[in-house]
Amino acid sequence: MKKASKNEIQEIKKLFLEKYANARTELQFNNLYELLIAVMLSAQCTDKRVNLITPALFKKFPDIQTLANAHLDDVRALLASCSFYNNKSKNIITMAKDVMERFGGKIPLERDLLMTLCGVGQKTANVVLIEYQQANYIAVDTHVFRTSHRLGLSASLTPHATEKDLTHIFQDNLATLHQAMVLFGRYICKAQKPLCDLCFLKMYCKTKNNFKPT
């Protein structure tokens, strides 16, 4: 696969920032607690599904303390329509207990500390910090991975390595670029039947192959 040139990278970056200047996550939340839970639930699950699940969850467990004291069966019942709901139910309760016991009930806003919480990997931590405080990170989900490879921005085989590539070539405005690439991949550069006629980056496309992270 041909790699994007330095000039192409700058043009792609410029167009992403212009087209998606005010892009935000489609997950619905009101505070840091709700954001963290929503992002944790969104792993291998659509944002639309998460948004259907979380209102009842947040009504019953409105904060970290109530979630930390929750019964597993109660949480499982509320997450039953979410992918991997058994593991996610256990993870969010354990995460809440971690926050209560280790951080005095306050969710840490340092990436390294966030990643010590149960169920919070680097991608989840990045997304939380991107959305909550526009941190200069980029998170690589399936949409970002696919579009990165189709545009020749990365040839790496894993999300983590792709994140390193994108961070290196873009350097700044990563929070906006992250959301831009998510929305671009979700609605234009789709895995199946990409909308090439509507694509504002088609002149930089290297392939229509559907790349999947390993």
Side-chain angles (χ1 to χ4, degrees):
M1 184 186 70
K2 187 178 179 181
K3 288 188 176 182
S5 68
K6 289 184 178 180
N7 286 338
E8 287 177 327
I9 289 170
Q10 292 307 308
E11 285 301 311
I12 290 169
K13 178 180 180 180
K14 177 183 176 182
L15 287 169
F16 269 139
L17 293 176
E18 287 177 356
K19 297 289 185 179
Y20 297 97
N22 300 309
R24 298 299 301 271
T25 182
E26 293 183 320
L27 292 171
Q28 296 171 1
F29 64 95
N30 295 302
N31 51 52
L32 178 58
Y33 161 69
E34 292 185 0
L35 171 61
L36 177 55
I37 297 297
V39 176
M40 291 177 70
L41 296 182
S42 70
Q44 295 179 288
C45 186
T46 65
D47 289 1
K48 288 183 179 179
R49 171 57 52 186
V50 173
N51 290 338
L52 290 173
I53 294 168
T54 49
L57 178 70
F58 296 149
K59 183 176 181 180
K60 189 170 182 67
F61 306 108
D63 52 37
I64 281 286
Q65 185 171 5
T66 54
L67 184 59
N69 294 319
H71 292 291
L72 178 59
D73 287 345
D74 292 338
V75 176
R76 279 164 42 103
L78 291 167
L79 301 188
S81 64
C82 186
S83 58
F84 305 102
Y85 72 95
N86 280 316
N87 283 337
K88 289 178 180 178
S89 298
K90 295 174 185 176
N91 285 345
I92 65 172
I93 292 173
T94 303
M95 178 279 297
K97 289 179 178 178
D98 282 351
V99 172
M100 292 302 299
E101 294 170 3
R102 296 169 47 218
F103 299 103
K106 293 184 178 180
I107 296 169
L109 286 172
E110 294 80 22
R111 185 168 69 170
D112 290 346
L113 293 179
L114 265 178
M115 290 171 59
T116 66
L117 298 175
C118 181
V120 180
Q122 184 161 311
K123 184 178 78 172
T124 295
N126 283 1
V127 173
V128 169
L129 296 173
I130 286 167
E131 288 303 326
Y132 194 71
Q133 56 186 23
Q134 288 290 293
N136 194 46
Y137 294 130
I138 196 160
V140 178
D141 66 359
T142 57
H143 302 301
V144 176
F145 187 89
R146 181 176 63 255
T147 58
S148 297
H149 288 67
R150 284 180 173 173
L151 292 169
L153 301 173
S154 174
S156 295
L157 300 179
T158 66
H160 184 68
T162 302
E163 178 190 327
K164 285 186 175 180
D165 291 341
L166 295 176
T167 300
H168 174 71
I169 64 173
F170 286 145
Q171 297 188 5
D172 55 21
N173 292 293
L174 298 184
T176 302
L177 289 165
H178 161 74
Q179 284 304 338
M181 296 181 76
V182 169
L183 296 176
F184 177 72
R186 183 175 293 165
Y187 295 112
I188 297 178
C189 195
K190 299 179 180 182
Q192 305 296 332
K193 298 181 180 179
L195 305 181
C196 300
D197 290 344
L198 301 178
C199 181
F200 58 90
L201 293 173
K202 59 186 175 183
M203 67 287 284
Y204 303 116
C205 186
K206 308 303 180 187
T207 178
K208 294 181 183 178
N209 290 342
N210 180 18
F211 294 90
K212 296 181 180 180
T214 59

